[in-house]
Amino acid sequence: MATVHLVQVETANQPPGQAPRRDGDPLAGIEELLPPNIKAAVESLPAGIRDNLEEIRLRRERPLQVRWSGGEGWVAASGGLAAGPDGAYKVTAADLGRTIEALTRSSLYALEEELRSGYITVSGGHRVGLVGEAVVLQGEIRTLKNFAGLNLRLARDIPGCARSLIPYLLEGGRPLHTLILSPPRCGKTTLLRDLIRLLSTGVPELKFSGVNVGVVDERSEIAGCWLGVPQLEVGPRTDVLDRCPKAAGMLMLLRSMGPEVIATDEIGRLEELAALQDVLHAGVTMLASVHAGSLEELQHRPGWGPLLKQGFWQRLVLLGRTLGPGTIEGVFSGDHRTLKRGPWRGEARP
């Protein structure tokens, strides 16, 4: 058995790319990574765009691009939106280099594991995707070098966005095993975070007083922990195991924290599915998400067919973008019966 060493983390030794979250700032955790000229240009965007940004894309020697919940566009050097890519600010190699230095605190080696996945998570739960030249050893990606571009994907903390969904996920005063299916960029992590908050806090009008929730947050996207403390709202009864592999983390929480619900994001590997079954057999409710555009697609994934056929999941929630990110396209029972057909989103009552 491996030896576990307890380490006291000091504030001065904060992880690369991490900083305390500032409430009310949609760019908190991201803007300090940007070179001053790009930061100023992004901050000058119209408030309706800036406050709803989803992505900031820096491609070396190519125009600066942003995406928000209602569209996408190009950012002019003087600020605001350009009419097209030709009028946008062209990101330089120096811009990209400064951003990567800020992201890694000049230590790519310290983030080698994250680079293998192609992205790094920073405080606030924001994800920074990277592309460049892959360094491959014996058929496996070891790291990236000669970076060509970054995609800064902004996490959104939207308390209440799951309020209209939670009645379908409770029965007899208990949470039900729930799986959220979602294609990329449909708000699954934001929805998952709010479900965790509601399960932890309680919903008095539904006569649900709240339960202890354990969260395995492998990429720090759910709770956005900084030095172990959640920077995003996950509720008063929630314990977060930060930067821990999901398969090991689920079993650790099961043995150590006595959770009534275990939640995690983006289940997919076979070892994660095996740990998932241990949790499901232990009398603990499971709340998880998976990348999938439909039930049919998920059924054909390795390891998922038996889990779906055996009825482990009591609720299946399908997300999409019909009404924008966070659209609930449908809620289904474990035997795939439609309980509520969408689309709907946010606080709207279904």
Side-chain angles (χ1 to χ4, degrees), residues 102-322:
L103 176 65
T104 65
R105 296 186 181 270
S106 303
S107 177
L108 286 172
Y109 176 78
L111 294 172
E112 190 172 86
E113 185 64 34
E114 286 89 342
L115 288 173
R116 290 177 190 173
S117 301
Y119 64 89
I120 296 170
T121 305
V122 300
S123 72
H126 309 301
R127 175 183 285 189
V128 183
L130 303 99
V131 291
E133 181 182 345
V135 178
V136 180
L137 181 63
Q138 296 180 342
E140 293 186 359
I141 297 174
R142 306 301 298 177
T143 187
L144 294 174
K145 66 178 183 179
N146 297 328
F147 294 99
L150 298 173
N151 180 18
L152 295 89
R153 296 177 56 186
L154 278 67
R156 291 291 175 188
D157 193 13
I158 309 177
C161 68
R163 179 60 189 80
S164 63
L165 176 63
I166 195 70
Y168 295 96
L169 311 186
L170 300 173
E171 188 174 274
R174 289 180 55 83
L176 299 172
H177 297 304
T178 299
L179 180 66
I180 301 169
L181 292 77
S182 172
R185 298 184 59 249
C186 288
K188 63 175 172 46
T189 304
T190 303
L191 184 73
L192 178 66
R193 182 186 305 119
D194 200 48
L195 286 172
I196 292 167
R197 181 187 66 84
L198 289 169
L199 292 175
S200 174
T201 304
V203 188
E205 58 269 37
L206 297 178
K207 296 182 172 55
F208 176 69
S209 58
V211 294
N212 291 324
V213 182
V215 176
V216 185
D217 199 1
E218 183 170 0
R219 297 295 179 186
S220 301
E221 290 184 288
I222 300 173
C225 286
W226 181 72
L227 300 178
V229 179
Q231 303 296 296
L232 300 172
E233 183 53 59
V234 290
R237 297 182 178 89
T238 299
D239 301 300
V240 181
L241 192 53
D242 188 47
R243 296 179 176 267
C244 179
K246 288 185 280 287
M250 284 187 278
L251 298 180
M252 285 176 66
L253 287 173
L254 186 63
R255 292 190 294 261
S256 63
M257 297 305 295
E260 292 153 278
V261 173
I262 289 180
T264 194
D265 205 6
E266 297 183 14
I267 290 284
R269 297 176 181 173
L270 292 179
E271 62 266 28
E272 294 167 359
L273 295 180
L276 187 68
Q277 293 191 60
D278 287 340
V279 173
L280 292 169
H281 285 299
V284 176
T285 298
M286 194 70 214
L287 172 62
S289 70
V290 63
H291 272 142
S294 67
L295 290 172
E296 293 74 18
E297 177 186 329
L298 188 60
Q299 285 174 325
H300 290 93
R301 298 261 187 89
W304 277 102
L307 273 177
L308 294 172
K309 289 179 182 178
Q310 293 171 29
F312 283 118
W313 299 106
Q314 296 167 297
R315 292 293 184 267
L316 301 162
V317 179
L318 180 63
L319 294 188
R321 290 182 68 94
T322 303

